[in-house]
Amino acid sequence: MKTEIVTIRKLDPPESVSDKLSYAGEIIRQGGLVAFPTETVYGLGGDALNPESSRKIYAAKGRPSDNPLIVHIADMAHLDRIVCEIPEKAQKLADAFWPGPLTMIFRKAAGVPYQTTGGLDTVAVRMPSHPLANLFIQKAGGYVAAPSANLSGKPSPTLARYVVQDMDGRIDMIIDADGVEIGLESTIVDVTCDVPVILRPGYITQQMLSSVVGEIDMDVTIYDSDCAHPPKAPGMKYRHYAPKGELVIVEGEPQEVVRYINEQTALHESAGKRTGIIGTQEMMAQYHASSVKDAGSRGDPKTIARCLYTFLREFDDEDIAYIYAESFGGICEDQGFGQAVMNRLLKAAGHRVIHV
Ligand code: TXA
Ligand code: MG
C-alpha cells in the first residue's frame, strides 16, 4: 500500500489545514487508516464504529486482537451514542480534564463493535486537546479508534518520523505535524465502579483526579510487578517499549549511581560493546558512554516524559547494547507524574532495577 504523507506545520494557513484534514477525515469515513498527532503520542486512527476499520488497525500494528482500542471523540454530545450511561463522577472528570490526556472506561452501547473493544462490554473513550486531533476527529465523523501509532512492542511515537518508520506502506495516510507535547500515553481511569480505578498512570495524576471526585484507586499491577492478577487494562500485560539493548535502572545515592554506571559502561566499552545512559541534567557532565542522553532536571518529570520514547528509539538506531538509566522517582502510590514515567521506564527495562 502506498502511504500518503501530509505535512502540517504550526503557521500553515487555517484553510489549508482544514482542507488537508477534510481529506484525511474522508479516508476514515471510507474505512481507511490515518495516523495523526495528539498531545500525548501519535495515534493510528480508523472509524471506531466500523468493525472492518478496527480489524485493519490490529493488522497494521501487528497487535493482539484482545487488546482494546480507545475511541477518540471531539464533542461531549457524541458520548451518548457509544456509552450506556455517564456516571456522575465521569461527568465531573470530563468537565475537569476533557479535552486532555485522560481516557475513561464506560459500559459500551450496542453500536460500538466488539472488534473495537477487543470483545469487552466496556469502551475506552478520550477527548484529545490537540487542535489538529480535534478537527480531524470532527471531519472523520466524530468517532476515531486510535491506539498509539507504533508497531506492537515498539515505543509509542512522539515524532512523525517514527510513525513513518513503523507505518509506511501499512496505512493510507500519515499526518506529519510537530512533535507531541506530553510524550507518554493518557491516564486511563475505569469509571464503571463506585470508586474509579487508575488502570494506566499518565499526566493526569491520582491527586488531580481525587481533587475532583474524592477517592481514586490504583490497579495494584501498576506498582506490583509480581502481582498474581492480570492488569485490568489488557494492554498493560504486554512487555511494551523494549529497546534492543539491555536496559537497567540504577537506584541509590546520586554519586553512587554515577560511579556504578561509569564502571559498567567502561567494562562493556572495553569489550567492544556500545553503551548508553539516560541521566539527569545535574549529573550529565560526569557520565562516560557512547551515547549520553540528558533527561532534564531531577525535580521535573516533564522533560524525561517527552524524551523517553525518543531516547529508546535513538539507542536502537545507534546500536547500543547496554543502557543504564537513573531512577526518576518511586513507583509507590501517588508520586504524581513521575510515577507514570517510572511505570513506562520499568516496562522498557523488563523491571530490571539495581540498588547501589
Ligand atoms: O494517549 C493515548 O491514550 C494514546 C493516544 C493515541 O490517544 N493512545 C493509546 O492507545 O495509548 P493504546 O491502544 O496504545 O493503549 C490503549 C490502552 C491499552 O492498554 C488497552 O488495553 C486499554 O487502553 N484499554 C482500551 N479499552 C479498554 C477497556 N475497555 N478496558 C480496559 N482497558 C482498555
Ligand atoms: Mg500503545
Side-chain angles (χ1 to χ4, degrees):
M1 173 188 292
K2 170 102 182 80
T3 302
E4 206 169 332
I5 298 175
V6 170
T7 305
I8 300 182
R9 291 288 171 258
K10 261 208 184 74
L11 297 176
D12 286 356
E15 316 79 67
S16 124
V17 174
S18 174
D19 286 352
K20 287 173 179 170
L21 293 179
S22 296
Y23 178 40
E26 192 50 38
I27 293 177
I28 299 286
R29 289 170 191 264
Q30 306 272 330
L33 304 186
V34 177
F36 63 103
T38 82
E39 71 278 20
T40 56
V41 299
Y42 273 78
L44 169 51
D47 181 353
L49 305 183
N50 178 346
E52 184 55 20
S53 297
S54 295
R55 198 197 54 74
K56 284 188 194 168
I57 291 176
Y58 288 108
K61 276 182 70 86
R63 171 171 178 149
S65 59
D66 68 343
N67 189 358
L69 308 175
I70 297 174
V71 179
H72 294 66
I73 59 173
D75 185 337
M76 199 59 193
H78 289 168
L79 189 57
D80 276 343
R81 182 163 165 205
I82 52 173
V83 308
C84 276
E85 52 166 352
I86 304 175
E88 201 186 318
K89 287 180 184 172
Q91 182 64 55
K92 286 188 179 158
L93 291 174
D95 292 341
F97 301 112
W98 277 359
L102 175 70
T103 296
M104 288 190 274
I105 310 288
F106 297 87
R107 278 183 233 293
K108 87 173 187 70
V112 183
Y114 282 113
Q115 283 81 354
T116 300
T117 66
L120 298 177
D121 286 315
T122 52
V123 60
V125 187
R126 174 161 114 79
M127 188 192 292
S129 62
H130 194 299
L132 293 182
N134 198 280
L135 192 53
F136 165 65
I137 294 163
Q138 290 177 42
K139 305 261 191 192
Y143 302 94
V144 175
S148 47
N150 52 285
L151 285 173
S152 196
K154 293 261 238 145
S156 297
T158 49
L159 298 170
R161 160 156 56 102
Y162 297 130
V163 182
V164 175
Q165 206 175 67
D166 282 12
M167 290 297 152
D168 195 16
R170 304 175 80 93
I171 61 178
D172 299 280
M173 184 192 276
I174 295 170
I175 299 174
D176 174 339
D178 299 308
V180 302
E181 202 182 303
I182 295 175
L184 291 188
E185 307 85 347
S186 60
T187 306
I188 302 181
V189 181
D190 185 349
V191 292
T192 61
C193 20
D194 281 343
V195 176
V197 186
I198 297 179
L199 308 188
R200 178 174 75 181
Y203 186 82
I204 307 291
T205 62
Q206 186 173 22
Q207 199 190 357
M208 288 159 80
L209 296 164
S210 51
S211 73
V212 177
V213 292
E215 197 183 348
I216 296 276
D217 280 344
M218 177 90 65
D219 185 355
V220 51
T221 60
I222 291 171
Y223 50 89
D224 180 3
S225 63
D226 298 328
C227 181
H229 312 285
K232 290 188 181 132
M236 297 289 278
K237 71 174 178 263
Y238 296 105
R239 180 171 178 249
H240 271 140
Y241 328 127
K244 287 185 206 144
E246 184 184 286
L247 169 59
V248 173
I249 300 167
V250 186
E251 259 183 5
E253 286 301 314
Q255 279 312 323
E256 280 304 299
V257 169
V258 170
R259 191 193 53 72
Y260 176 83
I261 291 180
N262 280 336
E263 202 177 270
Q264 296 301 308
T265 55
L267 267 171
H268 292 306
E269 295 276 342
S270 66
K273 300 287 185 198
R274 289 169 58 76
T275 58
I277 299 172
I278 301 176
T280 47
Q281 208 170 52
E282 291 81 357
M283 301 294 152
M284 268 303 101
Q286 301 182 52
Y287 284 124
H288 305 285
S290 297
S291 177
V292 181
K293 313 278 188 200
D294 182 347
S297 186
R298 176 164 287 276
D300 179 16
K302 290 202 182 82
T303 314
I304 176 65
R306 194 163 48 235
C307 303
L308 178 62
Y309 292 153
T310 306
F311 290 164
L312 297 179
R313 284 187 181 252
E314 284 173 357
F315 284 136
D316 283 354
D317 294 343
E318 293 162 1
D319 255 334
I320 302 295
Y322 294 94
I323 306 162
Y324 296 89
E326 284 181 34
S327 173
F328 295 89
I331 195 67
C332 51
E333 278 185 78
D334 211 5
Q335 291 268 336
F337 189 31
Q339 181 182 50
V341 174
M342 274 312 282
N343 172 262
R344 307 312 196 275
L345 191 60
L346 278 162
K347 277 170 166 269
H351 290 269
R352 276 184 298 264
V353 181
I354 289 179
H355 301 270
V356 294

